[in-house]
Amino acid sequence: MEIANVFTVIAFVFCALVLLVLIITVINLYFIDQRQKQHPVLRNYPVVGRARYFLETIGPELRQYLFNNDNEGKPLSREQYEHIVKKAKYKRDVIGFGSKRDFEEAGYYIRNSMFPKITEELKMDRETKVTTNRYLLVKEPLFTRRKEHFEQDESIAYLLDDSDAIVIGRNVKQPFIVKGQIGMSAMSYGSLGERAVTALSEGLGMAKGTWMNTGEGGLSEYHLKGGVDIIMQIGPGLFGVRDKAGNFSWDALLEKSKIPEIKAFELKLAQGAKTRGGHIDAEKVTEEIAKIRMVEPFKSIDSPNRFIEFTNFPSLFDFVERIREHTGKPVGIKVVIGSRHEADELAKQMELTGKGPDFITVDGGEGGTGATYQELADSVGLPIKSALPLLDHALLQHGVRDRVKIIASGKLFSPDRVAVALAMGADLVNIARGFMITVGCIQALKCHSNACPVGVTTTDPFLQKGLVIDEKKHRTANYVIAMREGLFRLAAAAGLDSPVHFRSEHVVYKDEKGKTWSLEDIYQMIVKEDVAK
């Protein structure tokens, strides 16, 4: 028999076997589907009905990349996502032809000045410079990979002038001095993997003038990699500052306070996306994370809804005072505002007791999270644009606003959003998801599953291999610098020499009918309407 005939016979036999296997598989699936009791579709349409579940599984990806328009995606649209990526990759975010914003919709606008500030008139630190790597786009063909390469780029850091530096805890032994108004919101090691935390630490350290918040998961060695200023958060679970029995440890707190990178402590009373104790799934609780948090490995962690160390504002303030005296560093609280009454009570007690935090982080209900329950994320806690005026107004009314700095958070990932928050009363701004995107997040929405496909919100060593620290740290630094540059650009357009001067008169609100309102009008409406309720 000729060799060609031999190959023909082999090929025929192989194809016959493959066909036979397929037929047997289909018949087997047919009877399995027909007999199962869980899915009516499969009982009525065996095998064929599986197409429905396949399409359902890949539906989020299809909508994200094919069917949603640029402004439809949630939690961040493709347009918003790409602006963050462009700042991080290219250190610029220039668009052509025109804005994609729907100007018929209601929204906030920066009030431009007839006589804006020129670059030379801006009041900033022009001495501090930062060298990072950014991508230079060479060519973007349709059917082949885009051509781009890393290039070294040096720019000023766009930090505040020394005279405008923001001092947290002015009367504390070791005040926290900040020269940039944008920092990283609380994200715990464990919720994020070690590579993500390291890349963020090193990138923020390169950018200078910013900070990172540890989240309630405790301080890890990865937070310290970049030498960046750190706000150490303490949640009700007391991770990182407790003894083996789970009680608050003043010795552990003192030990942490001696670490030079730690500039302040923050007591987490609540978080916008989960007004409850934090949660981390068992598969994320590695032995290392368990050691840092002083819990059992590979068991889910749910910290309590609140601290047992205090039950009201006076006892909270006493606890704050004791931490401040014990560490010599500023102490803040992280809250979610639910009503004017809540904000008023906080400010009233600060006035009555003469005590209170050095800063208040107010988290909007639209904030993100690694894992929470849908009903909490969707419906508990006011959004940041309602919460900020209530808190700022209450503090002003009770004469304690000058004692405390406000840090705002809640989808403030672009310079214009930051400017509006500053005009509404914030001194500083925290960002979480924007920074996650700088280290590779693609909004796969798998943060709670330990199956993040790009290695950001996972402790899985295999998945983390995709995250290259030496590349992503530059993106983090570029994003911070581009954000600060954009903020100065907006200040100049508003006739201000520095973004620290944003006030309510610099922002207007346009409703659906085209009528404009000053931010002060909106501010008063929010406060008065809440009083009426």
Side-chain angles (χ1 to χ4, degrees), residues 220-303:
S220 73
E221 62 177 290
Y222 311 108
H223 290 105
L224 301 171
K225 291 279 188 179
V228 65
D229 290 342
I230 290 173
I231 296 176
M232 182 175 174
Q233 188 180 89
I234 303 171
L238 308 178
F239 304 127
V241 289
R242 68 182 201 166
D243 58 26
K244 292 183 178 179
N247 301 310
F248 192 88
S249 170
W250 292 98
D251 289 338
L253 177 69
L254 184 61
E255 183 182 341
K256 293 294 191 301
S257 71
K258 292 177 181 178
I259 298 172
E261 287 85 357
I262 294 180
K263 303 298 183 182
F265 294 91
E266 178 183 81
L267 297 174
K268 175 190 165 183
L269 274 61
Q271 177 180 328
K274 51 182 180 188
T275 48
R276 66 179 188 102
H279 172 82
I280 181 171
D281 286 331
E283 56 266 29
K284 283 190 172 185
V285 188
T286 63
E287 291 184 1
E288 181 184 25
I289 290 168
K291 184 178 180 181
I292 291 170
R293 299 193 180 202
M294 299 193 71
V295 296
E296 291 187 52
F298 307 111
K299 286 190 176 182
S300 294
I301 304 171
D302 282 288
S303 58

Coordinates of all heavy atoms in Angstrom, one line a residue, residues 220-303:
S220 N 1.4 46.2 55.4 CA 2.2 45.1 54.9 C 3.6 45.7 54.4 O 3.7 46.9 54.3 CB 1.6 44.4 53.7 OG 1.6 45.2 52.6
E221 N 4.5 44.8 54.2 CA 5.8 45.3 53.7 C 5.7 45.9 52.3 O 6.5 46.7 51.9 CB 6.8 44.1 53.6 CG 6.4 43.0 52.7 CD 7.4 41.9 52.6 OE1 8.5 42.1 52.0 OE2 7.1 40.8 53.1
Y222 N 4.6 45.5 51.6 CA 4.5 46.0 50.2 C 4.0 47.5 50.2 O 4.3 48.2 49.3 CB 3.4 45.1 49.5 CG 3.8 43.6 49.6 CD1 3.0 42.8 50.4 CD2 4.9 43.1 49.0 CE1 3.3 41.5 50.6 CE2 5.2 41.8 49.2 CZ 4.4 41.0 50.0 OH 4.7 39.6 50.1
H223 N 3.3 47.9 51.2 CA 2.9 49.3 51.3 C 4.2 50.2 51.5 O 4.2 51.3 51.1 CB 2.0 49.5 52.6 CG 0.6 49.0 52.4 ND1 0.2 47.8 53.1 CD2 -0.4 49.4 51.7 CE1 -1.0 47.6 52.7 NE2 -1.4 48.5 51.9
L224 N 5.2 49.6 52.1 CA 6.4 50.4 52.4 C 7.4 50.4 51.3 O 8.5 51.1 51.4 CB 7.1 49.8 53.7 CG 6.2 49.9 54.9 CD1 6.9 49.1 56.1 CD2 5.9 51.3 55.4
K225 N 7.2 49.6 50.2 CA 8.2 49.5 49.2 C 8.6 50.8 48.5 O 9.8 51.0 48.2 CB 7.7 48.5 48.1 CG 7.5 47.1 48.5 CD 8.8 46.3 48.5 CE 8.7 44.9 48.7 NZ 9.9 44.1 48.6
G226 N 7.7 51.7 48.3 CA 8.0 52.9 47.6 C 8.3 54.1 48.4 O 8.6 55.2 47.8
G227 N 8.3 54.0 49.7 CA 8.6 55.1 50.6 C 7.6 56.2 50.6 O 7.9 57.4 51.0
V228 N 6.4 55.9 50.1 CA 5.3 56.9 50.0 C 4.7 57.2 51.4 O 4.8 56.3 52.3 CB 4.2 56.4 49.1 CG1 3.5 55.2 49.6 CG2 3.2 57.5 48.8
D229 N 4.2 58.4 51.6 CA 3.5 58.7 52.9 C 2.3 57.8 53.0 O 1.6 57.5 52.0 CB 3.1 60.1 52.9 CG 4.2 61.1 53.0 OD1 5.3 60.6 53.4 OD2 4.1 62.3 52.7
I230 N 2.0 57.3 54.2 CA 0.9 56.3 54.4 C 0.0 56.8 55.5 O 0.4 57.3 56.6 CB 1.5 55.0 54.8 CG1 2.3 54.3 53.6 CG2 0.5 54.0 55.4 CD1 3.0 53.1 54.0
I231 N -1.3 56.7 55.3 CA -2.3 56.8 56.3 C -2.7 55.3 56.6 O -3.2 54.6 55.8 CB -3.6 57.6 55.8 CG1 -3.2 59.0 55.5 CG2 -4.7 57.5 56.8 CD1 -4.3 59.8 54.9
M232 N -2.5 54.9 57.8 CA -2.8 53.6 58.3 C -4.3 53.6 58.8 O -4.6 54.2 59.8 CB -1.9 53.1 59.3 CG -2.2 51.6 59.7 SD -1.1 50.9 60.9 CE -1.9 49.3 61.2
Q233 N -5.1 52.8 58.1 CA -6.5 52.7 58.5 C -6.7 51.6 59.6 O -6.1 50.5 59.5 CB -7.4 52.4 57.3 CG -8.9 52.5 57.6 CD -9.7 52.2 56.4 OE1 -10.1 51.1 56.1 NE2 -10.1 53.3 55.7
I234 N -7.5 51.9 60.6 CA -7.8 50.9 61.6 C -9.3 50.7 61.5 O -10.1 51.6 61.7 CB -7.4 51.4 63.0 CG1 -5.9 51.7 63.0 CG2 -7.8 50.3 64.0 CD1 -5.5 52.4 64.3
G235 N -9.7 49.4 61.2 CA -11.1 49.1 61.1 C -11.6 48.4 62.4 O -10.8 48.2 63.3
P236 N -12.9 48.1 62.5 CA -13.4 47.4 63.7 C -12.8 46.1 64.0 O -12.8 45.6 65.1 CB -14.9 47.3 63.3 CG -15.2 48.3 62.3 CD -14.0 48.4 61.5
G237 N -12.2 45.5 62.9 CA -11.5 44.2 63.2 C -10.1 44.4 63.8 O -9.5 43.4 64.2
L238 N -9.6 45.6 63.9 CA -8.4 46.0 64.5 C -7.2 45.3 63.9 O -6.2 45.1 64.6 CB -8.4 45.7 66.0 CG -9.6 46.3 66.8 CD1 -9.6 45.8 68.2 CD2 -9.6 47.8 66.7
F239 N -7.3 44.9 62.6 CA -6.2 44.2 62.0 C -4.9 45.0 62.0 O -4.8 46.2 61.6 CB -6.5 43.9 60.5 CG -7.8 43.1 60.4 CD1 -8.8 43.5 59.6 CD2 -8.0 41.9 61.2 CE1 -10.0 42.8 59.5 CE2 -9.2 41.2 61.1 CZ -10.2 41.6 60.2
G240 N -3.8 44.4 62.5 CA -2.5 45.1 62.5 C -2.2 45.8 63.8 O -1.1 46.1 64.1
V241 N -3.3 46.0 64.6 CA -3.1 46.7 65.9 C -3.8 46.0 67.0 O -4.4 46.6 67.9 CB -3.5 48.2 65.9 CG1 -2.6 49.0 65.0 CG2 -5.0 48.3 65.4
R242 N -3.8 44.6 67.0 CA -4.5 43.9 68.0 C -3.6 42.7 68.5 O -2.6 42.4 67.9 CB -5.8 43.3 67.4 CG -5.7 42.2 66.4 CD -7.1 41.9 65.9 NE -7.1 40.6 65.2 CZ -8.2 39.9 65.0 NH1 -9.4 40.3 65.3 NH2 -8.2 38.7 64.4
D243 N -4.0 42.2 69.6 CA -3.3 41.0 70.1 C -3.9 39.7 69.6 O -4.9 39.8 68.8 CB -3.3 41.0 71.7 CG -4.7 41.0 72.3 OD1 -5.6 40.5 71.6 OD2 -4.8 41.5 73.4
K244 N -3.4 38.6 70.0 CA -3.9 37.3 69.5 C -5.3 37.0 69.9 O -6.0 36.2 69.2 CB -3.0 36.2 70.0 CG -1.6 36.3 69.3 CD -0.7 35.1 69.8 CE 0.7 35.2 69.1 NZ 1.6 34.1 69.5
A245 N -5.8 37.7 70.9 CA -7.2 37.5 71.4 C -8.1 38.4 70.6 O -9.4 38.3 70.8 CB -7.3 37.7 72.9
G246 N -7.6 39.3 69.8 CA -8.4 40.2 69.0 C -8.7 41.5 69.7 O -9.6 42.3 69.2
N247 N -8.1 41.8 70.8 CA -8.3 43.0 71.5 C -7.3 44.1 71.0 O -6.2 43.8 70.5 CB -8.1 42.8 73.0 CG -9.0 41.8 73.6 OD1 -10.2 41.9 73.4 ND2 -8.5 40.8 74.3
F248 N -7.7 45.4 71.2 CA -6.8 46.5 70.7 C -5.5 46.4 71.5 O -5.5 46.3 72.7 CB -7.5 47.8 70.9 CG -6.9 49.0 70.3 CD1 -7.2 49.3 68.9 CD2 -5.9 49.7 70.9 CE1 -6.5 50.3 68.3 CE2 -5.2 50.8 70.3 CZ -5.5 51.1 69.0
S249 N -4.4 46.6 70.8 CA -3.1 46.6 71.4 C -2.4 47.9 71.2 O -2.1 48.3 70.1 CB -2.2 45.5 70.7 OG -0.9 45.6 71.2
W250 N -2.2 48.6 72.4 CA -1.6 49.9 72.3 C -0.1 49.8 72.0 O 0.5 50.7 71.4 CB -1.8 50.6 73.7 CG -3.2 51.0 73.9 CD1 -4.2 50.3 74.6 CD2 -3.9 52.1 73.3 NE1 -5.4 51.0 74.5 CE2 -5.2 52.1 73.7 CE3 -3.4 53.2 72.5 CZ2 -6.2 53.0 73.3 CZ3 -4.4 54.1 72.1 CH2 -5.7 54.1 72.5
D251 N 0.5 48.6 72.4 CA 1.9 48.4 72.0 C 2.1 48.2 70.5 O 3.0 48.8 70.0 CB 2.4 47.1 72.8 CG 2.5 47.3 74.3 OD1 2.6 48.5 74.7 OD2 2.5 46.3 75.0
A252 N 1.2 47.5 69.9 CA 1.2 47.3 68.5 C 1.0 48.6 67.7 O 1.7 48.9 66.7 CB 0.2 46.3 68.0
L253 N 0.1 49.5 68.3 CA -0.1 50.8 67.7 C 1.2 51.6 67.8 O 1.6 52.3 66.8 CB -1.3 51.5 68.4 CG -1.6 52.9 67.9 CD1 -2.1 52.9 66.5 CD2 -2.5 53.6 68.9
L254 N 1.8 51.6 68.9 CA 3.0 52.4 69.1 C 4.1 52.0 68.2 O 4.8 52.8 67.6 CB 3.5 52.3 70.6 CG 4.7 53.2 71.0 CD1 4.4 54.7 70.8 CD2 5.1 52.9 72.4
E255 N 4.2 50.7 68.0 CA 5.2 50.1 67.1 C 5.0 50.6 65.7 O 5.9 51.0 65.0 CB 5.1 48.6 67.2 CG 6.2 47.9 66.3 CD 6.0 46.4 66.3 OE1 5.4 45.9 67.3 OE2 6.6 45.7 65.4
K256 N 3.7 50.6 65.3 CA 3.4 51.1 63.9 C 3.7 52.6 63.8 O 4.2 53.1 62.7 CB 1.9 50.8 63.6 CG 1.6 49.4 63.5 CD 2.2 48.7 62.3 CE 1.7 47.3 62.0 NZ 1.8 46.4 63.1
S257 N 3.4 53.3 64.8 CA 3.6 54.8 64.8 C 5.1 55.2 64.6 O 5.4 56.3 64.2 CB 3.0 55.5 66.0 OG 3.8 55.2 67.2
K258 N 6.0 54.3 65.0 CA 7.4 54.6 64.8 C 7.9 54.4 63.4 O 9.1 54.8 63.1 CB 8.2 53.7 65.8 CG 8.0 54.0 67.3 CD 8.7 53.1 68.2 CE 8.4 53.4 69.7 NZ 9.1 52.4 70.6
I259 N 7.1 53.8 62.6 CA 7.5 53.7 61.2 C 7.4 55.0 60.5 O 6.3 55.7 60.5 CB 6.6 52.7 60.4 CG1 6.7 51.3 61.1 CG2 6.9 52.6 59.0 CD1 5.7 50.2 60.6
P260 N 8.5 55.6 59.9 CA 8.5 57.0 59.4 C 7.5 57.2 58.3 O 7.0 58.3 58.2 CB 9.9 57.2 59.0 CG 10.5 55.8 58.8 CD 9.8 54.9 59.8
E261 N 7.2 56.2 57.5 CA 6.3 56.4 56.4 C 4.8 56.6 56.8 O 4.1 57.2 56.1 CB 6.3 55.2 55.4 CG 7.5 55.1 54.6 CD 8.7 54.4 55.3 OE1 8.5 54.0 56.5 OE2 9.7 54.1 54.7
I262 N 4.5 56.1 58.0 CA 3.1 56.3 58.5 C 3.0 57.7 59.1 O 3.6 58.1 60.1 CB 2.8 55.3 59.6 CG1 2.7 53.9 59.0 CG2 1.4 55.6 60.3 CD1 2.4 52.8 60.0
K263 N 2.2 58.5 58.4 CA 2.0 59.9 58.8 C 0.7 60.2 59.6 O 0.6 61.2 60.2 CB 2.0 60.8 57.5 CG 3.2 60.6 56.6 CD 4.5 61.1 57.3 CE 5.7 61.0 56.4 NZ 6.9 61.3 57.0
A264 N -0.2 59.3 59.5 CA -1.5 59.5 60.2 C -2.2 58.2 60.4 O -1.9 57.2 59.7 CB -2.4 60.5 59.4
F265 N -3.2 58.2 61.2 CA -4.1 57.0 61.4 C -5.5 57.4 61.2 O -5.9 58.5 61.4 CB -3.9 56.5 62.9 CG -2.6 55.9 63.2 CD1 -1.6 56.7 63.7 CD2 -2.3 54.6 62.9 CE1 -0.3 56.2 64.0 CE2 -1.1 54.0 63.2 CZ -0.1 54.9 63.8
E266 N -6.3 56.4 60.7 CA -7.7 56.7 60.3 C -8.6 55.6 60.9 O -8.3 54.4 60.6 CB -7.9 56.8 58.8 CG -9.3 57.0 58.4 CD -9.4 57.0 56.8 OE1 -9.5 55.9 56.2 OE2 -9.4 58.1 56.3
L267 N -9.6 55.9 61.7 CA -10.5 55.0 62.2 C -11.7 54.9 61.2 O -12.4 55.8 60.9 CB -11.1 55.4 63.6 CG -10.0 55.5 64.7 CD1 -10.7 56.1 65.9 CD2 -9.4 54.2 65.0
K268 N -11.9 53.7 60.7 CA -12.9 53.5 59.7 C -14.3 53.1 60.4 O -14.5 52.0 60.9 CB -12.6 52.3 58.7 CG -13.6 52.0 57.7 CD -13.3 50.7 57.0 CE -14.6 50.2 56.3 NZ -14.3 48.9 55.6
L269 N -15.2 54.1 60.4 CA -16.5 53.9 60.9 C -17.4 53.3 59.9 O -18.3 52.5 60.2 CB -17.1 55.2 61.4 CG -16.8 55.6 62.9 CD1 -15.3 55.8 63.1 CD2 -17.5 56.9 63.3
A270 N -17.2 53.7 58.6 CA -18.0 53.1 57.5 C -17.3 53.4 56.2 O -16.4 54.2 56.1 CB -19.4 53.8 57.5
Q271 N -17.8 52.7 55.2 CA -17.3 52.9 53.8 C -18.5 53.0 52.9 O -19.5 52.3 53.1 CB -16.4 51.7 53.4 CG -15.9 51.8 51.9 CD -15.0 50.7 51.5 OE1 -14.3 50.1 52.4 NE2 -15.1 50.2 50.3
G272 N -18.4 53.9 51.9 CA -19.6 54.2 51.1 C -20.2 52.9 50.4 O -21.5 52.8 50.4
A273 N -19.4 52.1 49.9 CA -20.0 50.9 49.2 C -20.4 49.8 50.1 O -21.1 48.9 49.7 CB -19.0 50.4 48.2
K274 N -20.0 49.8 51.4 CA -20.3 48.8 52.3 C -20.4 49.4 53.7 O -19.4 49.4 54.4 CB -19.4 47.6 52.3 CG -17.9 48.0 52.4 CD -17.0 46.7 52.2 CE -15.6 47.1 52.3 NZ -14.7 45.9 52.0
T275 N -21.5 49.9 54.1 CA -21.6 50.5 55.5 C -21.8 49.4 56.5 O -22.8 49.2 57.1 CB -22.8 51.5 55.5 OG1 -23.9 50.8 55.0 CG2 -22.5 52.7 54.8
R276 N -20.8 48.6 56.6 CA -20.7 47.4 57.5 C -19.2 47.1 57.6 O -18.4 47.8 57.1 CB -21.4 46.2 56.8 CG -20.7 45.7 55.6 CD -21.4 44.5 55.0 NE -20.6 43.9 53.9 CZ -19.8 42.8 54.1 NH1 -19.7 42.2 55.2 NH2 -19.1 42.4 53.0
G277 N -18.9 46.1 58.4 CA -17.5 45.6 58.5 C -17.0 45.1 57.2 O -17.8 44.7 56.3
G278 N -15.7 45.1 57.0 CA -15.1 44.6 55.8 C -15.2 43.1 55.7 O -15.4 42.4 56.6
H279 N -15.0 42.6 54.4 CA -15.1 41.2 54.1 C -14.0 40.8 53.2 O -13.7 41.5 52.3 CB -16.5 40.9 53.5 CG -16.6 39.5 53.0 ND1 -16.9 38.4 53.8 CD2 -16.4 39.0 51.8 CE1 -16.9 37.3 53.1 NE2 -16.6 37.6 51.9
I280 N -13.5 39.6 53.4 CA -12.5 39.1 52.5 C -12.7 37.6 52.4 O -12.9 36.9 53.5 CB -11.0 39.4 52.9 CG1 -10.1 38.8 51.8 CG2 -10.7 39.0 54.3 CD1 -8.6 39.3 52.1
D281 N -12.9 37.0 51.2 CA -13.2 35.6 51.0 C -12.0 34.7 51.4 O -10.8 35.1 51.4 CB -13.6 35.3 49.6 CG -15.0 35.9 49.2 OD1 -15.8 35.9 50.2 OD2 -15.2 36.2 48.1
A282 N -12.3 33.5 51.8 CA -11.4 32.6 52.4 C -10.2 32.3 51.4 O -9.0 32.2 51.9 CB -12.1 31.2 52.7
E283 N -10.4 32.2 50.1 CA -9.4 31.9 49.2 C -8.3 33.0 49.1 O -7.2 32.8 48.6 CB -9.9 31.5 47.8 CG -10.8 32.6 47.2 CD -12.2 32.4 47.5 OE1 -12.6 31.8 48.5 OE2 -13.0 32.8 46.6
K284 N -8.7 34.2 49.6 CA -7.7 35.3 49.5 C -6.9 35.4 50.8 O -5.9 36.1 50.9 CB -8.4 36.6 49.3 CG -8.9 36.9 47.9 CD -9.4 38.3 47.8 CE -9.7 38.7 46.4 NZ -10.0 40.2 46.3
V285 N -7.3 34.7 51.8 CA -6.6 34.8 53.2 C -5.5 33.8 53.2 O -5.6 32.7 53.8 CB -7.6 34.5 54.3 CG1 -6.9 34.8 55.7 CG2 -8.9 35.4 54.2
T286 N -4.4 34.2 52.6 CA -3.2 33.4 52.6 C -2.5 33.4 54.0 O -3.0 34.2 54.9 CB -2.1 33.9 51.6 OG1 -1.8 35.2 52.0 CG2 -2.7 33.9 50.2
E287 N -1.5 32.6 54.2 CA -0.9 32.5 55.5 C -0.2 33.9 55.8 O -0.2 34.3 57.0 CB 0.2 31.4 55.5 CG -0.5 30.0 55.5 CD 0.5 28.9 55.6 OE1 1.7 29.2 55.8 OE2 0.2 27.7 55.6
E288 N 0.3 34.5 54.8 CA 1.0 35.8 55.0 C 0.0 36.9 55.4 O 0.2 37.6 56.4 CB 1.7 36.3 53.7 CG 2.4 37.6 53.9 CD 3.0 38.1 52.6 OE1 2.5 37.7 51.5 OE2 4.0 38.9 52.6
I289 N -1.2 36.9 54.7 CA -2.2 37.9 55.1 C -2.8 37.6 56.4 O -3.1 38.5 57.2 CB -3.3 37.8 54.0 CG1 -2.8 38.4 52.7 CG2 -4.6 38.6 54.5 CD1 -3.7 38.2 51.5
A290 N -3.0 36.3 56.8 CA -3.5 35.9 58.1 C -2.5 36.4 59.2 O -2.9 36.9 60.3 CB -3.7 34.4 58.2
K291 N -1.2 36.3 58.9 CA -0.2 36.7 59.9 C -0.3 38.2 60.1 O -0.2 38.7 61.3 CB 1.2 36.3 59.4 CG 2.3 36.7 60.4 CD 3.6 36.2 59.9 CE 4.7 36.5 60.9 NZ 6.1 36.1 60.4
I292 N -0.4 39.0 59.0 CA -0.5 40.5 59.1 C -1.8 40.9 59.9 O -1.7 41.8 60.8 CB -0.5 41.1 57.7 CG1 0.8 40.9 57.0 CG2 -0.9 42.6 57.8 CD1 0.8 41.3 55.6
R293 N -2.9 40.2 59.6 CA -4.2 40.5 60.3 C -4.4 39.8 61.6 O -5.3 40.1 62.3 CB -5.3 40.2 59.3 CG -5.2 41.0 58.0 CD -6.6 40.8 57.2 NE -6.5 41.6 56.0 CZ -7.6 42.0 55.3 NH1 -8.8 41.8 55.8 NH2 -7.5 42.6 54.2
M294 N -3.5 38.8 61.9 CA -3.6 38.0 63.1 C -5.0 37.3 63.1 O -5.7 37.4 64.1 CB -3.4 38.9 64.3 CG -2.0 39.5 64.4 SD -1.6 40.2 66.0 CE -1.4 38.7 67.0
V295 N -5.2 36.5 62.1 CA -6.4 35.7 62.0 C -6.0 34.3 61.4 O -4.9 34.1 61.1 CB -7.5 36.3 61.0 CG1 -8.0 37.7 61.6 CG2 -6.9 36.5 59.6
E296 N -7.0 33.4 61.3 CA -6.7 32.1 60.8 C -6.6 32.1 59.3 O -7.5 32.7 58.6 CB -7.8 31.1 61.3 CG -7.7 30.8 62.7 CD -8.7 29.7 63.1 OE1 -8.7 28.6 62.5 OE2 -9.5 29.9 64.0
P297 N -5.6 31.4 58.7 CA -5.6 31.4 57.2 C -6.7 30.6 56.6 O -7.2 29.7 57.2 CB -4.2 30.8 57.0 CG -3.9 30.0 58.2 CD -4.6 30.7 59.3
F298 N -7.0 31.0 55.3 CA -7.9 30.3 54.5 C -9.3 30.2 55.1 O -10.1 29.2 54.9 CB -7.4 28.9 54.1 CG -6.0 29.0 53.5 CD1 -4.9 28.5 54.2 CD2 -5.8 29.6 52.3 CE1 -3.6 28.5 53.7 CE2 -4.5 29.7 51.8 CZ -3.4 29.1 52.5
K299 N -9.7 31.2 55.9 CA -11.0 31.3 56.4 C -11.5 32.7 56.1 O -10.8 33.7 56.3 CB -11.1 31.1 57.9 CG -11.0 29.6 58.3 CD -11.3 29.4 59.8 CE -11.2 27.9 60.1 NZ -11.6 27.6 61.5
S300 N -12.8 32.9 55.7 CA -13.3 34.2 55.4 C -13.3 35.1 56.6 O -13.4 34.6 57.7 CB -14.8 34.0 54.9 OG -14.9 33.4 53.7
I301 N -13.0 36.4 56.3 CA -12.9 37.4 57.4 C -14.1 38.4 57.3 O -14.2 39.0 56.2 CB -11.6 38.1 57.3 CG1 -10.4 37.2 57.4 CG2 -11.5 39.1 58.5 CD1 -9.1 37.8 57.1
D302 N -14.8 38.5 58.3 CA -15.8 39.6 58.4 C -15.6 40.4 59.6 O -15.7 39.9 60.8 CB -17.2 39.0 58.4 CG -17.7 38.5 57.1 OD1 -18.0 39.4 56.2 OD2 -17.8 37.3 56.8
S303 N -15.1 41.6 59.5 CA -14.9 42.4 60.7 C -16.2 43.0 61.1 O -17.2 43.1 60.3 CB -13.9 43.6 60.4 OG -14.4 44.4 59.3

